Amino acid sequence: MKNNLLSRLSLVLTFFAAISIAIVGQQTQTTPSAERLREHVSYLASDKLEGRRTGTAGANQAAEYIAREFARYGLRRSNGRDLAGMSRLEADSPKRYLQEFPYVAGVELGKINRLLLSAAAGPAQPVVGEDWMPLGFSSNGEIQKAQYVFVGYGITAAELKYDSYTPEVKDKIAIALSGTPDGDNPHGQFTRYEAPHWKAIAARNAGAKALIVIARETNFKDDRLSTLRYDNSAGDGGLPVAVISRQLAAKLFALSGNDLSALVDAAKEPVKESAPPSAKAKGLLLVKPGATLSLAIDIHRHGVVAHNVIGILDGSDPTLKNEVVIIGAHYDHLGHGGAGSLAVREGEIHHGADDNASGTAGVLELARLLSEARPRPRRTLVFIAFSGEEEGLLGSNYYVNHPIVPLANTVAMINMDMIGRLKDRNLIVGGVGTAEGWRAMVEARNQLDSMTVTATAGTGPSASSISYPTVVASNGRPIVTSDSAKRFTLTLNEDGFGPSDHSSFYMKKIPVLFFWTGTHEDYHKPSDTADKINYDGEVSILNLVSRLLHDIDLSDARPTYTVAKTESTGRATGFRVYLGTIPNYAESNDGLLLDGVRDDSPAAKAGLKAGDKVVKLAGRDLRNVYDYTYALGEMKAGQEYDVEVLRGGERLKFKITPAAKK
Ligand SMILES: [Zn+2]
């Protein structure tokens, strides 16, 4: 009771301190407008922009719309070298707000795609698109008359004592089933080995020349894999990979006197603990000598340019203006569906009103308000609308590796992703553990904004009933009431990692705050439309955000970065070991770049550093983050492994001992 009263009192005192500052500074700041938010969201989520899939015309129109708004508010364009074709553009062109980054918009079949069965298989040879299809992450290549081998599910899972491969697979074409021995169980022990990516890595590690996956659906064209598409966070698999129809698979195995359904049954059998290592290879079947396959894969991934939109509001303080707070939201969405979509049917426009036209509109409204605020914020504010978020935080990842202001001067990043569905005042704020005092700051601000002060008499400016940021006399008898209807019910998460762009900044040790009204049944579906947005709710969230920005700006000291408790929602979870590396998720084919290394982690103790490129881990060659994750899955806590990195042109070897994951 006492404690409660005390803290209540100190809160009131803080409140008056804030008010007196407000008197001195005489802040003029209008509030966010629900009508403007509605306009922005309605345009961005309209059919015209076709779901704003990164790299499409709709996304480019959205970028231009945001750039024009930035220009209207008088935000400055960067003069960094990174921005799109700067020299060719008029000085006042809105395009100067665009930061380009490379993006693979699609993948197409080239001319030479062949799959030939050597043995007499009838006159009809398989037709690409009808009987088989290369996968989008496949390497190009040609393999002449190679032996092929059935490898069950094509999974190597050391911790499950399961391996589809034996040394016999070397230099042969591996043919694997889709899926896992778990069947349709989405939470089975093998779930994380299901993606064709993992199977390709397992095949490559086993020395196979190529991997062929057997379609899951009886009708080939119904199979997800039968449509050629590319995942931008995937890179190149490092060997040719294709999917074939079940009918073609049956024919292939009939050539060696085998029945596909019998093979499938054999692959499903559980592994016996006592079995000798060679017998643990499930369903491994060498096809009789003489039966061979020839395979040629020729696909073209075509790159386009994607854009982050960046506008700058210079700070008013001669010194503090060198420090930057970033206010961001992604504006891209899922287009007509495809990867990431939860729609039942493909092809419909995914409007992405909440995800994330709402956050984009929030960035625009904050940019407008803060550019009008007098006095201006002391620190420089950089407003960024990111693209490529849905494909794996590509735009924010590009930004943190090509920042327009040095990251060392970037003191905080505020991210808004899906803030349009406020319900029952429930608001999620992530990242409160990433800077000292942020949890308290957010909680106090939420309390303060719900208070109304009533003064009975006064000598200074007074009013009978006023709420923040208006001013009250000090010698009256102010009555402070708290209006719970104005308060948010906050869910505060410590973690700076999460499924949105703030992760890219936290990886660079920048304090972050992430605002989110939670998921809903229209999430990643065409039905996420502008009419379902709670615009008044979003106004109240933006009020909270702008006051928090003000709180951050009032302090002369920049926020102090702290290592937050990691909650189990991040990527690459489910592993039993922990290294403390912070991998870069951008595409790569020649090693895994480390964005950072956590203090006191196994990686730090091993001697790894930010900027290292890991090329070998626990005996596995690493080309990208997938190989890395795969290797991680095979490692045991407390055991020592070799790790090799490239650092400044040198190849260095270290010993690393993973810790057990808590
Ligand atoms: Zn999304």
Side-chain angles (χ1 to χ4, degrees):
M1 193 66 188
K2 212 171 192 175
N3 273 337
N4 196 15
L5 196 68
L6 259 178
S7 63
R8 189 75 181 240
L9 197 63
S10 72
L11 210 58
V12 172
L13 289 174
T14 320
F15 178 57
F16 281 105
I19 285 172
S20 50
I21 288 162
I23 303 175
V24 177
Q26 202 54 62
Q27 285 266 322
T28 52
Q29 188 178 312
T30 41
T31 55
S33 144
E35 216 25 66
R36 283 173 187 266
L37 291 174
R38 187 192 301 275
E39 260 172 50
H40 296 319
V41 172
S42 301
Y43 176 73
L44 294 168
S46 65
D47 285 357
K48 188 176 172 224
L49 298 198
E50 295 187 78
R52 313 184 303 281
R53 174 72 86 168
T54 305
T56 64
N60 293 344
Q61 278 173 285
E64 278 170 33
Y65 175 85
I66 297 160
R68 274 197 305 275
E69 291 297 310
F70 281 177
R72 280 215 295 178
Y73 312 147
L75 298 191
R76 183 164 68 76
R77 305 149 180 84
S78 165
N79 45 19
R81 277 163 292 144
D82 230 351
L83 298 198
M86 291 280 305
S87 53
R88 299 191 308 274
L89 296 169
E90 297 290 313
D92 59 351
S93 164
K95 286 210 167 122
R96 285 198 168 210
Y97 292 103
L98 306 183
Q99 178 182 46
E100 293 185 352
F101 63 90
Y103 177 76
V104 175
V107 56
E108 281 158 13
L109 288 176
K111 288 205 177 84
I112 318 146
N113 285 286
R114 265 196 321 267
L115 198 158
L116 296 176
L117 284 67
S118 66
Q125 287 290 355
V127 176
V128 68
E130 301 284 331
D131 308 298
W132 73 285
M133 186 63 101
L135 297 191
F137 66 89
S138 171
S139 299
N140 286 332
E142 192 159 359
I143 296 157
Q144 295 284 359
K145 295 191 174 171
Q147 270 196 292
Y148 53 96
V149 51
F150 179 69
V151 294
Y153 287 99
I155 290 171
T156 302
E159 82 276 21
L160 299 173
K161 296 200 171 77
Y162 187 97
D163 196 347
S164 301
Y165 289 94
T166 69
E168 283 103 311
V169 179
K170 193 160 167 36
D171 292 332
K172 301 188 176 65
I173 296 176
I175 302 185
L177 296 169
S178 293
T180 76
D182 294 327
D184 291 331
N185 178 2
H187 304 294
Q189 54 178 352
F190 287 101
T191 304
R192 68 189 179 83
Y193 295 96
E194 183 168 4
H197 256 111
W198 301 128
K199 296 194 180 191
I201 295 170
R204 213 176 72 217
N205 285 338
K209 275 192 165 167
L211 172 69
I212 288 178
V213 179
I214 302 171
R216 189 191 297 254
E217 305 293 337
T218 313
N219 182 2
F220 185 61
K221 297 226 167 130
D222 290 343
D223 199 279
R224 278 187 53 240
L225 298 179
S226 72
T227 309
L228 185 61
R229 54 166 81 98
Y230 182 74
D231 166 6
N232 266 271
S233 52
D236 183 294
L239 82 172
V241 188
V243 59
I244 60 174
S245 71
R246 295 188 75 85
Q247 293 76 11
L248 178 55
K251 197 188 269 182
L252 275 174
F253 290 109
L255 287 177
S256 59
N258 285 285
D259 172 38
L260 181 61
S261 57
L263 293 175
V264 173
D265 290 345
K268 277 182 186 154
E269 256 174 55
V271 191
K272 287 189 192 72
E273 272 300 316
S274 58
S278 65
K280 283 181 183 165
K282 292 308 299 172
L284 183 79
L285 175 94
L286 291 164
V287 171
K288 69 175 179 194
T292 63
L293 264 181
S294 297
L295 177 69
I297 288 184
D298 172 25
I299 54 175
H300 302 299
R301 296 190 266 262
H302 54 96
V304 295
V305 170
H307 307 98
N308 292 326
V309 193
I310 307 177
I312 305 163
L313 181 66
D314 287 313
S316 59
D317 183 278
T319 311
L320 288 179
K321 74 174 187 191
N322 296 316
E323 293 183 356
V324 160
V325 175
I326 291 176
I327 300 158
H330 77 89
Y331 70 91
D332 65 298
H333 193 54
L334 301 172
H336 286 259
S341 168
L342 297 174
V344 208
R345 270 172 295 135
E346 253 189 55
E348 286 174 60
I349 295 172
H350 288 51
H351 297 89
D354 183 33
D355 185 10
N356 184 29
S358 68
T360 310
V363 167
L364 292 177
E365 263 306 79
L366 289 174
R368 183 181 68 85
L369 292 176
L370 291 160
S371 64
E372 288 169 3
R374 294 293 177 273
R376 289 251 292 275
R378 302 194 297 167
R379 290 187 174 81
T380 295
L381 301 178
V382 175
F383 297 90
I384 312 182
F386 297 105
S387 192
E389 192 271 351
E390 301 287 6
E391 271 84 3
L393 317 185
L394 304 176
S396 53
N397 209 303
Y398 187 84
Y399 179 85
V400 296
N401 290 303
H402 306 83
I404 60 164
V405 177
L407 288 187
N409 299 351
T410 303
V411 304
M413 191 273 175
I414 311 287
N415 184 31
M416 296 173 284
D417 194 353
M418 298 171 65
I419 55 167
R421 296 286 193 113
L422 188 70
K423 212 179 142 202
D424 304 330
R425 306 293 292 171
N426 286 314
L427 179 65
I428 301 156
V429 184
V432 299
T434 65
E436 254 167 44
W438 273 17
R439 175 182 280 273
M441 173 184 77
V442 173
E443 279 173 343
R445 182 46 67 194
N446 185 39
Q447 289 289 335
L448 282 176
D449 286 352
S450 66
M451 287 180 179
T452 300
V453 180
T454 309
T456 49
T459 51
S462 71
S464 58
S465 177
I466 15 182
S467 39
Y468 181 90
T470 328
V471 179
V472 185
S474 54
N475 69 341
R477 284 209 316 239
I479 300 162
V480 180
T481 54
S482 179
D483 177 359
S484 63
K486 284 189 187 168
R487 213 163 29 214
F488 293 102
T489 305
L490 294 177
T491 301
L492 300 180
N493 290 330
E494 296 278 308
D495 202 355
F497 291 114
S500 187
D501 294 306
H502 56 286
S503 278
S504 301
F505 289 83
Y506 185 57
M507 277 182 194
K508 299 287 190 186
K509 303 195 175 184
I510 294 168
V512 296
L513 283 176
F514 166 48
F515 294 85
W516 183 35
T517 50
T519 193
H520 47 79
E521 60 183 15
D522 301 307
Y523 172 71
H524 281 198
K525 291 181 187 162
S527 51
D528 177 9
T529 49
D531 57 299
K532 293 177 184 153
I533 298 298
N534 176 356
Y535 294 101
D536 291 329
E538 183 165 343
V539 165
S540 63
I541 294 166
L542 295 177
N543 268 322
L544 176 68
V545 174
S546 79
R547 282 163 192 172
L548 286 167
L549 281 165
H550 187 63
D551 291 340
I552 293 169
D553 202 48
L554 276 181
S555 163
D556 288 338
R558 58 187 283 174
T560 308
Y561 165 84
T562 51
V563 178
K565 256 203 318 265
T566 296
E567 318 212 350
S568 61
T569 49
R571 287 167 189 251
T573 52
F575 295 104
R576 298 158 308 152
V577 300
Y578 165 76
L579 298 183
T581 47
I582 302 172
N584 184 304
Y585 284 90
E587 182 174 336
S588 88
N589 281 319
D590 57 352
L592 175 82
L593 183 65
L594 296 184
D595 277 342
V597 170
R598 296 185 178 280
D599 301 337
D600 290 326
S601 65
K605 285 175 195 153
L608 301 191
K609 290 184 176 156
D612 283 352
K613 193 164 243 188
V614 185
V615 290
K616 205 164 181 141
L617 178 62
R620 299 292 194 200
D621 289 326
L622 298 198
R623 297 159 54 89
N624 51 37
V625 72
Y626 289 95
D627 289 349
Y628 165 77
T629 315
Y630 194 92
L632 210 60
E634 294 186 318
M635 297 170 85
K636 289 197 178 79
Q639 199 170 314
E640 190 180 80
Y641 296 90
D642 287 331
V643 53
E644 288 178 43
V645 306
L646 297 178
R647 183 187 295 166
E650 262 185 293
R651 193 175 174 117
L652 305 172
K653 260 192 189 181
F654 299 96
K655 300 276 183 200
I656 191 164
T657 308
K661 187 148 190 167
K662 279 150 227 150

